[in-house]
PDB file of all heavy atoms in Angstrom:
ATOM      1  N   LEU A 263     108.021  85.751  99.477  1.00 98.00           N
ATOM      2  CA  LEU A 263     107.107  86.863  99.211  1.00 98.00           C
ATOM      3  C   LEU A 263     105.717  86.730  99.848  1.00 98.00           C
ATOM      4  O   LEU A 263     105.239  87.665 100.484  1.00 98.00           O
ATOM      5  CB  LEU A 263     106.948  87.036  97.683  1.00 98.00           C
ATOM      6  CG  LEU A 263     105.878  88.036  97.242  1.00 98.00           C
ATOM      7  CD1 LEU A 263     106.255  89.450  97.605  1.00 98.00           C
ATOM      8  CD2 LEU A 263     105.653  87.939  95.732  1.00 98.00           C
ATOM      9  N   LYS A 266     105.831  87.253 103.616  1.00 95.00           N
ATOM     10  CA  LYS A 266     106.274  88.615 103.967  1.00 95.00           C
ATOM     11  C   LYS A 266     105.154  89.607 103.675  1.00 95.00           C
ATOM     12  O   LYS A 266     104.905  90.531 104.444  1.00 95.00           O
ATOM     13  CB  LYS A 266     107.526  89.012 103.163  1.00 95.00           C
ATOM     14  CG  LYS A 266     108.686  88.044 103.286  1.00 95.00           C
ATOM     15  CD  LYS A 266     109.268  87.994 104.697  1.00 95.00           C
ATOM     16  CE  LYS A 266     110.357  86.922 104.754  1.00 95.00           C
ATOM     17  NZ  LYS A 266     110.714  86.483 106.083  1.00 95.00           N
ATOM     18  N   LEU A 267     104.491  89.404 102.546  1.00 96.00           N
ATOM     19  CA  LEU A 267     103.420  90.313 102.155  1.00 96.00           C
ATOM     20  C   LEU A 267     102.227  90.199 103.118  1.00 96.00           C
ATOM     21  O   LEU A 267     101.679  91.213 103.570  1.00 96.00           O
ATOM     22  CB  LEU A 267     102.989  89.976 100.721  1.00 96.00           C
ATOM     23  CG  LEU A 267     102.071  90.952 100.021  1.00 96.00           C
ATOM     24  CD1 LEU A 267     102.663  92.344 100.001  1.00 96.00           C
ATOM     25  CD2 LEU A 267     101.817  90.486  98.586  1.00 96.00           C
ATOM     26  N   ALA A 270     103.038  91.894 106.227  1.00 91.00           N
ATOM     27  CA  ALA A 270     102.960  93.358 106.082  1.00 91.00           C
ATOM     28  C   ALA A 270     101.497  93.817 106.089  1.00 91.00           C
ATOM     29  O   ALA A 270     101.143  94.810 106.723  1.00 91.00           O
ATOM     30  CB  ALA A 270     103.646  93.799 104.791  1.00 91.00           C
ATOM     31  N   THR A 344     101.383 101.939 102.135  1.00 94.00           N
ATOM     32  CA  THR A 344     101.894 101.473 103.432  1.00 94.00           C
ATOM     33  C   THR A 344     102.362 100.026 103.334  1.00 94.00           C
ATOM     34  O   THR A 344     103.448  99.680 103.814  1.00 94.00           O
ATOM     35  CB  THR A 344     100.761 101.524 104.498  1.00 94.00           C
ATOM     36  OG1 THR A 344     100.061 102.744 104.339  1.00 94.00           O
ATOM     37  CG2 THR A 344     101.295 101.387 105.891  1.00 94.00           C
ATOM     38  N   VAL A 345     101.539  99.199 102.707  1.00 95.00           N
ATOM     39  CA  VAL A 345     101.869  97.770 102.621  1.00 95.00           C
ATOM     40  C   VAL A 345     103.122  97.566 101.763  1.00 95.00           C
ATOM     41  O   VAL A 345     104.029  96.808 102.135  1.00 95.00           O
ATOM     42  CB  VAL A 345     100.669  96.962 102.068  1.00 95.00           C
ATOM     43  CG1 VAL A 345     101.071  95.522 101.792  1.00 95.00           C
ATOM     44  CG2 VAL A 345      99.503  97.008 103.040  1.00 95.00           C
ATOM     45  N   VAL A 346     103.200  98.256 100.638  1.00 96.00           N
ATOM     46  CA  VAL A 346     104.356  98.110  99.749  1.00 96.00           C
ATOM     47  C   VAL A 346     105.627  98.553 100.481  1.00 96.00           C
ATOM     48  O   VAL A 346     106.657  97.864 100.450  1.00 96.00           O
ATOM     49  CB  VAL A 346     104.163  98.927  98.449  1.00 96.00           C
ATOM     50  CG1 VAL A 346     105.454  99.034  97.662  1.00 96.00           C
ATOM     51  CG2 VAL A 346     103.073  98.298  97.594  1.00 96.00           C
ATOM     52  N   GLU A 347     105.523  99.662 101.188  1.00 94.00           N
ATOM     53  CA  GLU A 347     106.691 100.183 101.914  1.00 94.00           C
ATOM     54  C   GLU A 347     107.160  99.153 102.959  1.00 94.00           C
ATOM     55  O   GLU A 347     108.346  98.835 103.057  1.00 94.00           O
ATOM     56  CB  GLU A 347     106.293 101.506 102.579  1.00 94.00           C
ATOM     57  CG  GLU A 347     107.457 102.341 103.086  1.00 94.00           C
ATOM     58  CD  GLU A 347     107.494 102.408 104.602  1.00 94.00           C
ATOM     59  OE1 GLU A 347     106.420 102.581 105.236  1.00 94.00           O
ATOM     60  OE2 GLU A 347     108.602 102.252 105.157  1.00 94.00           O
ATOM     61  N   GLN A 348     106.224  98.594 103.698  1.00 92.00           N
ATOM     62  CA  GLN A 348     106.551  97.573 104.715  1.00 92.00           C
ATOM     63  C   GLN A 348     107.138  96.322 104.078  1.00 92.00           C
ATOM     64  O   GLN A 348     108.087  95.748 104.579  1.00 92.00           O
ATOM     65  CB  GLN A 348     105.276  97.175 105.443  1.00 92.00           C
ATOM     66  CG  GLN A 348     104.837  98.185 106.461  1.00 92.00           C
ATOM     67  CD  GLN A 348     104.721  97.542 107.834  1.00 92.00           C
ATOM     68  OE1 GLN A 348     105.103  96.375 107.986  1.00 92.00           O
ATOM     69  NE2 GLN A 348     104.224  98.273 108.795  1.00 92.00           N
ATOM     70  N   ALA A 349     106.529  95.909 102.957  1.00 93.00           N
ATOM     71  CA  ALA A 349     106.936  94.651 102.329  1.00 93.00           C
ATOM     72  C   ALA A 349     108.307  94.769 101.673  1.00 93.00           C
ATOM     73  O   ALA A 349     108.972  93.757 101.432  1.00 93.00           O
ATOM     74  CB  ALA A 349     105.894  94.204 101.314  1.00 93.00           C
ATOM     75  N   LEU A 350     108.736  95.983 101.395  1.00 94.00           N
ATOM     76  CA  LEU A 350     110.046  96.167 100.753  1.00 94.00           C
ATOM     77  C   LEU A 350     111.135  96.542 101.763  1.00 94.00           C
ATOM     78  O   LEU A 350     112.293  96.681 101.406  1.00 94.00           O
ATOM     79  CB  LEU A 350     109.967  97.274  99.680  1.00 94.00           C
ATOM     80  CG  LEU A 350     109.207  96.936  98.398  1.00 94.00           C
ATOM     81  CD1 LEU A 350     109.063  98.167  97.518  1.00 94.00           C
ATOM     82  CD2 LEU A 350     109.893  95.811  97.621  1.00 94.00           C
ATOM     83  N   ARG A 351     110.743  96.710 103.033  1.00 91.00           N
ATOM     84  CA  ARG A 351     111.679  97.228 104.037  1.00 91.00           C
ATOM     85  C   ARG A 351     112.906  96.327 104.209  1.00 91.00           C
ATOM     86  O   ARG A 351     114.026  96.798 104.240  1.00 91.00           O
ATOM     87  CB  ARG A 351     110.945  97.434 105.361  1.00 91.00           C
ATOM     88  CG  ARG A 351     111.700  98.354 106.285  1.00 91.00           C
ATOM     89  CD  ARG A 351     110.877  98.729 107.484  1.00 91.00           C
ATOM     90  NE  ARG A 351     109.839  99.721 107.190  1.00 91.00           N
ATOM     91  CZ  ARG A 351     108.829 100.009 108.027  1.00 91.00           C
ATOM     92  NH1 ARG A 351     108.718  99.372 109.169  1.00 91.00           N
ATOM     93  NH2 ARG A 351     107.946 100.920 107.713  1.00 91.00           N
ATOM     94  N   ASN A 352     112.652  95.020 104.354  1.00 87.00           N
ATOM     95  CA  ASN A 352     113.780  94.098 104.527  1.00 87.00           C
ATOM     96  C   ASN A 352     113.854  93.142 103.340  1.00 87.00           C
ATOM     97  O   ASN A 352     112.843  92.582 102.947  1.00 87.00           O
ATOM     98  CB  ASN A 352     113.611  93.288 105.811  1.00 87.00           C
ATOM     99  CG  ASN A 352     113.542  94.189 107.017  1.00 87.00           C
ATOM    100  OD1 ASN A 352     114.422  95.017 107.224  1.00 87.00           O
ATOM    101  ND2 ASN A 352     112.487  94.059 107.801  1.00 87.00           N
ATOM    102  N   PRO A 353     115.045  92.966 102.797  1.00 89.00           N
ATOM    103  CA  PRO A 353     115.165  92.050 101.657  1.00 89.00           C
ATOM    104  C   PRO A 353     115.003  90.588 102.103  1.00 89.00           C
ATOM    105  O   PRO A 353     115.250  90.259 103.260  1.00 89.00           O
ATOM    106  CB  PRO A 353     116.594  92.289 101.163  1.00 89.00           C
ATOM    107  CG  PRO A 353     117.332  92.854 102.324  1.00 89.00           C
ATOM    108  CD  PRO A 353     116.335  93.522 103.221  1.00 89.00           C
ATOM    109  N   TYR A 354     114.539  89.751 101.207  1.00 94.00           N
ATOM    110  CA  TYR A 354     114.414  88.320 101.489  1.00 94.00           C
ATOM    111  C   TYR A 354     114.484  87.566 100.180  1.00 94.00           C
ATOM    112  O   TYR A 354     114.341  88.142  99.106  1.00 94.00           O
ATOM    113  CB  TYR A 354     113.082  88.024 102.216  1.00 94.00           C
ATOM    114  CG  TYR A 354     111.895  88.675 101.578  1.00 94.00           C
ATOM    115  CD1 TYR A 354     111.252  88.091 100.487  1.00 94.00           C
ATOM    116  CD2 TYR A 354     111.421  89.902 102.045  1.00 94.00           C
ATOM    117  CE1 TYR A 354     110.172  88.705  99.888  1.00 94.00           C
ATOM    118  CE2 TYR A 354     110.352  90.523 101.445  1.00 94.00           C
ATOM    119  CZ  TYR A 354     109.726  89.924 100.367  1.00 94.00           C
ATOM    120  OH  TYR A 354     108.669  90.539  99.769  1.00 94.00           O
ATOM    121  N   VAL A 360     111.576  90.972  93.725  1.00 97.00           N
ATOM    122  CA  VAL A 360     110.407  91.675  94.248  1.00 97.00           C
ATOM    123  C   VAL A 360     110.593  93.172  93.996  1.00 97.00           C
ATOM    124  O   VAL A 360     111.490  93.796  94.555  1.00 97.00           O
ATOM    125  CB  VAL A 360     110.223  91.408  95.760  1.00 97.00           C
ATOM    126  CG1 VAL A 360     109.012  92.171  96.292  1.00 97.00           C
ATOM    127  CG2 VAL A 360     110.059  89.919  96.017  1.00 97.00           C
ATOM    128  N   THR A 361     109.764  93.727  93.136  1.00 97.00           N
ATOM    129  CA  THR A 361     109.876  95.152  92.802  1.00 97.00           C
ATOM    130  C   THR A 361     108.637  95.891  93.293  1.00 97.00           C
ATOM    131  O   THR A 361     107.577  95.284  93.505  1.00 97.00           O
ATOM    132  CB  THR A 361     109.960  95.351  91.268  1.00 97.00           C
ATOM    133  OG1 THR A 361     108.739  94.854  90.699  1.00 97.00           O
ATOM    134  CG2 THR A 361     111.142  94.609  90.672  1.00 97.00           C
ATOM    135  N   GLU A 362     108.796  97.192  93.432  1.00 97.00           N
ATOM    136  CA  GLU A 362     107.665  98.003  93.878  1.00 97.00           C
ATOM    137  C   GLU A 362     106.507  97.898  92.882  1.00 97.00           C
ATOM    138  O   GLU A 362     105.354  97.700  93.266  1.00 97.00           O
ATOM    139  CB  GLU A 362     108.111  99.459  94.025  1.00 97.00           C
ATOM    140  CG  GLU A 362     106.990 100.306  94.559  1.00 97.00           C
ATOM    141  CD  GLU A 362     107.366 101.758  94.794  1.00 97.00           C
ATOM    142  OE1 GLU A 362     108.562 102.048  94.993  1.00 97.00           O
ATOM    143  OE2 GLU A 362     106.438 102.587  94.765  1.00 97.00           O
ATOM    144  N   GLU A 363     106.851  97.985  91.615  1.00 97.00           N
ATOM    145  CA  GLU A 363     105.830  97.924  90.572  1.00 97.00           C
ATOM    146  C   GLU A 363     105.094  96.567  90.592  1.00 97.00           C
ATOM    147  O   GLU A 363     103.871  96.488  90.512  1.00 97.00           O
ATOM    148  CB  GLU A 363     106.502  98.145  89.219  1.00 97.00           C
ATOM    149  CG  GLU A 363     105.543  98.444  88.100  1.00 97.00           C
ATOM    150  CD  GLU A 363     106.228  98.292  86.742  1.00 97.00           C
ATOM    151  OE1 GLU A 363     107.476  98.208  86.703  1.00 97.00           O
ATOM    152  OE2 GLU A 363     105.515  98.248  85.738  1.00 97.00           O
ATOM    153  N   LEU A 365     104.815  94.504  93.122  1.00 97.00           N
ATOM    154  CA  LEU A 365     103.986  94.397  94.331  1.00 97.00           C
ATOM    155  C   LEU A 365     102.679  95.163  94.182  1.00 97.00           C
ATOM    156  O   LEU A 365     101.616  94.700  94.595  1.00 97.00           O
ATOM    157  CB  LEU A 365     104.739  94.969  95.533  1.00 97.00           C
ATOM    158  CG  LEU A 365     105.707  94.050  96.268  1.00 97.00           C
ATOM    159  CD1 LEU A 365     106.277  94.756  97.484  1.00 97.00           C
ATOM    160  CD2 LEU A 365     104.997  92.777  96.709  1.00 97.00           C
TER     161      LEU A 365
END
Side-chain angles (χ1 to χ4, degrees):
L263 172 68
K266 305 294 176 198
L267 191 56
T344 317
V345 172
V346 168
E347 194 249 317
Q348 283 237 7
L350 288 173
R351 198 171 284 167
N352 300 306
Y354 48 83
V360 179
T361 62
E362 183 177 336
E363 194 195 347
L365 275 184

